[in-house]
């Protein structure tokens, strides 16, 4: 684990009418400590802010230090946002998984694209997956003391030798002992298993899911849910790797196997407990399960049921917001990954029922990564440029912001949205969520594009 020292927490936004605005905080000021405690990260900040009397040590834009005193209600938010959630640097990964997406990128890109995080703070704050192989005694104690739960853990296999082989790390074999540690403290985990054919599939997968289910007992189950995800390979992966891509036949086999385990789990827990990522059904060319299958969508951020959930939310929102007609005719192109082409057709039909509104769905494949079935979040600027050039894109592109990184400025291949808009000579509307998508369909002439925001 690399671990740099604490840096002042730089403020990126001061919420209007907040306590912070009232006491005069400005963007660019930095917070050093609260009540004399230095802040390691957003978790410390949130924890220390839960008090009625605060003394804040601050460095302003001009480098002057100040002590600011604030009296407030215990749970009042100060209204500050920071450039980064981690003020002492990222805890980096010490594994060497052959399927690591970071190693499957082309060389020569921005340095930050090659940073491998394996940081329990990001797991707690944002639900990113970690492996638990790089935690020091101090970090374990902090998880316990601050009750940082649930965490999202990449398990891959409960068999020590297989997990060590997959993570290429001798420290990876203690996963069962680690589950017991969580269990004793009533802390919880969402688990994931990335299935690599020939390594942790078939009876190994059955053993892993059965072992995980042993920790899904009682009022506070240690393992809340387990997602089963197919390994994702790109054309940039190292030649010497031992990985086999998931085929249609393999996907069908895994679907059948996990479905039969779900039946057993449902009988025991009244919950499916183990969840198949949507990608299995897309690769296996099978129907996605119905909405009722997904209970409360415990792993939708991990691609489990997210297509169903999106379609369902779209239906309700469209019913509420879509008018019979628009004042001024508009034609837009909605760009998505080809993985959701079939599922999104009814949504497009719904939008096109609005008189004067024409939406064309462009479901693209990623030639950049060399993937036949592509999820929307993996499309790059180059993919859009090569496949949309010369097409009639109407009055603009609806661009799901899930494709964008680094404050929504650029794609995974570093191309900026502005660059793409210029090359395609079209307006681009980045959209987050269904309300914004519908809002832009109805008011595109007054909505902000990437070139004018
Ligand atoms: S743990 Fe994650 S970041 Fe680290 S090597 Fe494995 S896949 Fe990559």
């Amino acid at each position: 684990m690399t671990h740099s020292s604490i840096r002042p927490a730089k403020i990126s936004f001061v919420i209007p009418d907040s306590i912070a605005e009232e006491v005069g905080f400005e963007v660019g000021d930095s917070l050093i400590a609260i009540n004399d405690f230095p802040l390691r990260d957003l978790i410390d900040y949130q924890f220390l802010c839960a008090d009625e009397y605060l003394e804040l040590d601050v460095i302003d834009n001009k480098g002057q230090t100040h002590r600011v005193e604030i009296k407030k209600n215990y749970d009042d938010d100060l209204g500050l946002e920071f450039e980064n959630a981690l003020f002492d640097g990222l805890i980096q990964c010490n594994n060497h998984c052959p399927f690591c997406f970071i190693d499957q990128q082309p060389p020569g890109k921005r340095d930050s694209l090659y940073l491998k995080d394996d940081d329990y703070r990001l797991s707690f704050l944002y639900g990113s997956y970690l492996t638990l192989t790089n935690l020091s005694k101090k970090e374990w104690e902090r998880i316990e003391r601050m009750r940082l739960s649930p965490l999202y853990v990449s398990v891959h296999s409960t068999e020590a030798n297989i997990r060590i082989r997959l993570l290429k790390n001798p420290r990876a074999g203690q996963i069962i002992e680690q589950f017991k540690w969580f269990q004793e403290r009533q802390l919880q985990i969402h688990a994931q298993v990335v299935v690599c054919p020939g390594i942790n599939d078939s009876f190994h997968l059955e053993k892993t899911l059965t072992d995980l289910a042993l920790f899904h007992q009682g009022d506070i189950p240690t393992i809340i849910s387990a997602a089963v995800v197919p390994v994702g390979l790109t054309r940039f992966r190292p030649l010497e790797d031992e990985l086999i891509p998931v085929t249609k036949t393999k996907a069908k086999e895994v679907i059948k196997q996990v479905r039969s385990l779900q039946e057993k789990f449902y009988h025991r827990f009244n919950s499916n407990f183990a969840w198949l990522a949507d990608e299995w059904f897309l690769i296996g060319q099978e129907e996605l399960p119905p909405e009722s299958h997904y209970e409360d969508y415990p792993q939708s951020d991990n691609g489990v049921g997210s297509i169903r959930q999106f379609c369902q939310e779209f239906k309700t929102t469209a019913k509420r917001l879509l008018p019979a007609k628009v004042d001024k005719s508009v034609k837009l192109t909605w760009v998505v990954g080809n993985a959701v082409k079939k599922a999104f057709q009814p949504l497009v039909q719904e939008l096109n029922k609005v008189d004067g509104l024409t939406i064309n769905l462009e479901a693209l494949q990623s030639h950049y990564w060399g993937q036949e079935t592509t999820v929307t979040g993996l499309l790059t600027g180059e993919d859009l440029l090569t496949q949309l050039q010369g097409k009639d894109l109407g009055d603009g592109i609806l661009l799901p912001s899930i494709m964008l990184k680094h404050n929504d400025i650029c794609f995974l291949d570093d191309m900026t949205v502005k660059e793409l808009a210029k090359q395609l000579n079209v307006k681009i509307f980045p959209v987050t969520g269904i309300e914004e998508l519908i809002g832009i369909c109805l008011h595109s002439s007054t909505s902000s594009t990437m070139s004018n925001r």
Side-chain angles (χ1 to χ4, degrees), residues 115-377:
L115 274 183
K116 295 183 182 179
D117 73 84
D118 196 11
D119 195 314
Y120 67 98
R121 285 101 43 99
L122 297 180
S123 186
F124 175 69
L125 290 167
Y126 307 120
S128 54
Y129 275 87
L130 87 160
T131 62
L132 303 173
T133 56
N134 62 358
L135 295 175
S136 65
K137 192 164 170 272
K138 215 173 104 199
E139 313 293 358
W140 281 108
E141 283 167 5
R142 188 171 185 232
I143 292 172
E144 180 177 8
R145 192 176 65 254
M146 299 185 90
R147 302 206 57 77
L148 304 182
S149 166
L151 293 182
Y152 293 75
V153 177
S154 280
V155 175
H156 307 327
S157 177
T158 50
E159 293 172 86
N161 59 336
I162 295 184
R163 192 164 191 261
I164 290 170
R165 176 177 167 200
L166 276 172
L167 270 60
K168 296 208 176 5
N169 185 346
R171 294 184 67 177
Q174 301 155 9
I175 194 75
I176 296 282
E177 287 74 34
Q178 289 167 337
F179 291 158
K180 288 181 184 155
W181 184 92
F182 279 83
Q183 189 174 44
E184 282 157 18
R185 288 155 185 83
Q186 298 197 324
L187 297 170
Q188 295 183 290
I189 287 170
H190 285 285
Q192 79 161 354
V193 176
V194 172
V195 176
C196 302
I199 303 178
N200 62 343
D201 57 343
S202 62
F203 57 90
H204 297 296
L205 178 61
E206 174 150 357
K207 167 143 182 59
T208 295
L209 294 178
T210 311
D211 285 348
L212 290 173
L214 294 175
F215 290 88
H216 186 71
Q217 320 267 0
D219 291 341
I220 306 173
T222 307
I223 312 278
I224 308 169
S225 68
V228 181
V229 182
V231 67
L233 302 178
T234 85
R235 68 187 169 98
F236 301 109
R237 70 181 197 269
L239 282 175
E240 69 280 10
D241 79 23
E242 48 182 350
L243 299 173
I244 304 167
V246 172
T247 57
K248 183 175 163 189
T249 316
K250 177 51 84 181
K252 283 182 174 299
E253 177 197 310
V254 173
I255 293 171
K256 195 167 164 223
Q257 184 186 17
V258 175
R259 275 195 166 144
S260 126
L261 284 166
Q262 282 173 338
E263 271 176 40
K264 288 184 196 153
F265 295 146
Y266 200 88
H267 192 66
R268 260 163 67 199
F269 309 125
N270 214 17
S271 162
N272 288 323
F273 173 66
W275 302 94
L276 285 158
D278 295 352
E279 263 188 279
W280 291 110
F281 300 97
L282 302 169
I283 302 171
Q285 292 171 19
E286 291 197 13
E287 275 300 309
L288 289 162
E291 209 217 333
S292 57
H293 168 82
Y294 290 106
E295 300 170 17
D296 58 352
Y297 290 96
Q299 294 252 10
S300 67
D301 287 347
N302 201 9
V304 175
S306 46
I307 298 178
R308 271 279 175 258
Q309 193 178 31
F310 186 90
C311 294
Q312 191 55 35
E313 276 176 32
F314 183 92
K315 242 194 215 163
T316 345
T317 318
K319 211 169 167 187
R320 190 162 49 83
L321 297 179
L322 282 186
K325 63 178 185 111
V326 283
D327 297 338
K328 196 170 162 256
S329 291
V330 64
K331 185 173 159 190
L332 295 166
T333 304
W334 183 6
V335 180
V336 294
N338 61 357
V340 294
K341 184 177 181 180
K342 193 169 158 222
F344 278 23
Q345 291 298 349
L347 317 189
V348 175
Q349 280 165 18
E350 205 52 42
L351 289 167
N352 285 334
K353 278 186 197 160
V354 177
D355 197 6
L357 181 62
T358 311
I359 302 294
N360 286 331
L361 190 71
E362 280 289 348
L364 309 181
Q365 172 189 352
S366 179
H367 298 304
Y368 182 87
W369 298 113
Q371 288 179 330
E372 251 174 67
T373 310
T374 305
V375 293
T376 306

Side-chain angles (χ1 to χ4, degrees), residues 376-394:
T376 306
L378 282 186
L379 286 175
T380 64
E382 192 182 307
D383 288 325
L384 270 67
L385 182 62
T386 51
Q387 293 172 73
L388 297 178
Q389 228 160 17
K391 287 193 174 170
D392 174 10
L393 302 170

Side-chain angles (χ1 to χ4, degrees), residues 93 95-97 100 116-117 131:
C93 168
N95 306 306
H96 305 279
C97 313
C100 182
K116 295 183 182 179
D117 73 84
T131 62

Side-chain angles (χ1 to χ4, degrees), residues 15 18-20 45-46 49 72-80:
I15 296 175
S18 62
I19 298 173
Y45 169 76
Q46 287 166 354
C49 276
K72 64 174 192 66
N73 289 327
Y74 186 82
D75 52 1
D76 277 348
D77 178 35
L78 291 184
L80 290 175

